[in-house]
Amino acid sequence: MPVAIPGLIALRRHLFGRQETFGTPYNAARAYPFSGVPDVNLNWTDVEGDFGSIDPVAPPYRAIPDLTASLTDNAVAYDDLPIMLSSILGDNVEPTGGGAAKTWTFQPASLTQDDIDVYSYQFGDDVEEDWFLLFDGLTESVTFTFPRGLGPVTAQMNWRFGSARYAGASEMDLDPEITVPTAGLSVDSAAVPVYLGDAKLYIDSTAGGLGATQVSDALYGGTLTISRELDQKRFANGTGFDLAGYSSGKRNIEFQMDFAKTDDIVGENSESDAWFSTTAVDRFVRLEFTSVPFITGVTPYSWQINMPLRYYTRADDAEGGNSVVQLTGHQFYQSATLGYAFKSVVVNKLALSGLETATS
């Protein structure tokens, strides 16, 4: 009988688990409906020199590897959000709530450096000896897109990893407690997506008034991008190509909002007026999603984004036959009242065990 050719794209899986210890790969805790593939670049490099040949003679050597993955979530679910926020903001956030509803609060520090959260990532298909295990991973940037068509929110993540193992390599050296791929994990078949149509936008002039003034019939869509500067630390510790640690530098959070030309957006005392001011005008923005399905009882899935910002740019676009105003603001640290530059609160059903797992 003909033998089926293995290696089906449809059988690819993305398995992640948050690590408790840097430098130690962990079993995965959850499967995610991401698309994309890791880029494992070992940086094989030719030796420079005179070898009496117009073709290479000396064998290449391995340099510091680039271990990255550009992954997309085409329908972000409420239970997907913790890994995206944790991997970019850090601080080892754990959920609160004793029942089915769990609250994840991400409020990164501005005056100190939070702990960096790192993840183990398993990727492969139906050929198990061709799986990759990447660990000490985090995201350098995450972009949430709020589509104008009121469809589900999407996310684009740029992951970077410190170390890699390959199941097909003779040098594959894993802790005996690590299983690649981790068994029993499948994508949530009852995931609740985040829809822009379930969101309300609030923009206020004072930090104390945050969340008081709803901007209605104006927001078409937009993007929220969180990025940071990242420095990799590698030392002569007898550990080969493995990473010793990270240092996280400046953070940039950019919120682009696509608006209709309502009185709130254009004209005197509008958001465009705040952008055109001779001095920067502080704005306090809240985007709040609340789902129709409930987690339990009367507790819905929800996601609240709070952000003090100042506008930097304005652009003009179109939606159908209507003009669109695109205003883009950047975060700033508001110390007097809020004490933060960004805060994101997610209520979902994901317990800590769905984000991280021990090696045993």
Side-chain angles (χ1 to χ4, degrees), residues 9 41 60 79 82 85 111 124 169 242 276 289 294 297 314 334:
I9 293 176
N41 181 0
D79 288 347
L85 296 169
L111 305 183
D242 288 351
F276 204 71
F289 300 82
F294 289 88
R314 177 193 143 135
Q334 207 284 337

Side-chain angles (χ1 to χ4, degrees), residues 54-79:
I54 60 175
D55 298 306
V57 176
Y61 62 89
R62 277 178 60 173
I64 294 174
D66 284 317
L67 310 172
T68 60
S70 180
L71 303 179
T72 301
D73 191 335
N74 291 301
V76 174
Y78 287 93
D79 288 347

Side-chain angles (χ1 to χ4, degrees), residues 190-206:
V192 177
V194 183
Y195 289 101
L196 183 61
D198 293 333
K200 295 179 181 179
L201 176 68
Y202 302 84
I203 304 179
D204 289 282
S205 300
T206 65

